[in-house]
Each structure stands twice: as structure tokens, then as C-alpha cells.
């Protein structure tokens, strides 16, 4: 392999490696590299929820608090709509 072929092969491999797959949910949001949903206990029947929303080309945290009241789970604050069902399921378990 001559020098020109070697450099072409290296450049081609670098270009192919730089391409990333985009997970598009149809709403124009990029889910690749999405931070994880976090639900932390703050005491009996109380939780802090950290969800993430894609806005302005960056992941932005959405913080909410949840508490169990009268057998129901009440969420105060905003969480990403994509995480709402998972949050309720995890808190009921």
C-alpha cells in the first residue's frame, strides 16, 4: 500500500466514524445521547424527578417534585411528556 492509499483509507475511516445515527421520534427531537431520567426519594412518599427535554439544540433539565396524597401520585412541576408514563409506573411500583 502506498502512502496516498494509506492516507485515503485513514481519512475514509475517520469520516465514516464521524457519522452518527439520529434517533428521531418524529417531533424533531434528537434522542441520541439523552441523559437518563432520575427519580430520587426525598422521604416517605416524596420524590424529586429530573427529566430532560431537547430545546434549542441542547438537553435541558426539567425538575419536578412528586408526592403520594390520598392514594394518588401528584406531580408538581414540569417533566418531559415522553417520560410521564415511566415516572408514574416507577412511582406506583
Amino acid at each position: 500500500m502506498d502512502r496516498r492509499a494509506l492516507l485515503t483509507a485513514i481519512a475514509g475511516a475517520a469520516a465514516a466514524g464521524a457519522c452518527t445515527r439520529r434517533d428521531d421520534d418524529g417531533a424533531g427531537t434528537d434522542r441520541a445521547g439523552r441523559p437518563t431520567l432520575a427519580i430520587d426519594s426525598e422521604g416517605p412518599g416524596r420524590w424529586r424527578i429530573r427529566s430532560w427535554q431537547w430545546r434549542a439544540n441542547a438537553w435541558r433539565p426539567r425538575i419536578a417534585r412528586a408526592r403520594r396524597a390520598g392514594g394518588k401520585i401528584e406531580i408538581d412541576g414540569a417533566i418531559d411528556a415522553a417520560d410521564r408514563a415511566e415516572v408514574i409506573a416507577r412511582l406506583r411500583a
Side-chain angles (χ1 to χ4, degrees):
M1 179 180 281
D2 66 349
R3 185 176 183 180
R4 188 178 314 153
L6 177 63
L7 292 175
T8 303
I10 292 172
C19 296
T20 59
R21 181 175 164 261
R22 182 176 173 155
D23 291 332
D24 195 352
D25 66 357
T29 57
D30 183 5
R31 298 287 182 199
R34 184 175 202 251
T36 58
L37 172 68
I39 301 174
D40 301 317
S41 177
E42 292 186 325
R46 295 179 26 204
W47 301 272
R48 179 180 182 266
I49 303 163
R50 186 177 63 237
S51 177
W52 298 87
Q53 184 179 47
W54 182 256
R55 287 187 330 227
N57 294 324
W59 287 109
R60 311 280 182 195
R62 310 265 322 207
I63 307 297
R65 302 253 190 269
R67 63 186 169 104
R68 190 178 311 269
K72 294 183 179 180
I73 296 172
E74 296 178 357
I75 298 176
D76 298 319
I79 59 174
D80 190 41
D83 292 330
R84 183 165 293 279
E86 184 179 349
V87 167
I88 297 297
R90 285 168 78 181
L91 294 179
R92 286 190 178 154

